[in-house]
Amino acid sequence: MSAESIDVPGLGHGGMPIPTGCRVGPLLVSGGIGGTDPATGVMPADGPDQVLGIFENVRRFLKAAGATEADVAKMTFFVVDRSLREHINTSWVEMFPDEGRRPARHTLVAQLAAPMVVQCEVLAYVEDGSR
């Protein structure tokens, strides 16, 4: 199996030669996904708006990779302030309403490049038939 880069318009890494994510067989992994508005390239100043943008960008990444929310095994969030967890929780429950089918999640405090205050990574398992 060879790696397949997943590029999503508007979710670049500042001109760096880094794809949005990568798929190797059924394993799908993202790089850091922020809340940047893909249409404007602007990062919202407000943390809660960044969280909303992240969840929308995760959906875009999954779709580009031939995956859905049901394929997500784990999401890791990096926040500059733990108070953002309440906003993550709101979007989390909206994306994964069935508490018996939610993926694993981990939240870490991290230093992020301003104005970013939250970022996430996604790990998914995509059956061949999902593509």
Side-chain angles (χ1 to χ4, degrees):
M1 268 178 241
S2 62
E4 174 189 354
S5 294
I6 307 295
D7 287 303
V8 182
L11 294 185
H13 288 85
M16 300 291 288
I18 304 168
T20 307
C22 179
R23 182 168 175 183
V24 179
L27 180 65
L28 174 65
V29 182
S30 77
I33 297 176
T36 302
D37 180 328
T40 65
V42 174
M43 176 71 67
D46 185 55
D49 288 339
Q50 287 187 33
V51 170
L52 292 173
I54 282 175
F55 278 86
E56 184 56 36
N57 288 336
V58 165
R59 287 179 180 94
R60 293 177 63 241
F61 167 68
L62 293 171
K63 184 177 180 180
T68 70
E69 291 90 342
D71 298 314
V72 176
K74 182 180 182 185
M75 290 178 72
T76 302
F77 287 85
F78 302 90
V79 298
V80 297
D81 181 340
R82 284 202 174 278
S83 68
L84 290 166
R85 290 177 75 185
E86 70 181 85
H87 302 287
I88 294 169
N89 288 341
T90 299
S91 292
W92 179 261
V93 171
E94 289 172 8
M95 183 177 267
F96 306 107
D98 183 348
E99 62 185 62
R101 298 202 177 272
R102 289 183 184 140
R105 186 178 109 190
H106 191 59
T107 304
L108 301 166
V109 174
Q111 184 175 354
L112 301 171
M116 186 181 296
V117 296
V118 58
Q119 184 181 60
C120 85
E121 294 177 347
V122 178
L123 175 65
Y125 184 88
V126 187
E127 296 287 346
D128 286 336
S130 298
R131 252 180 139 195

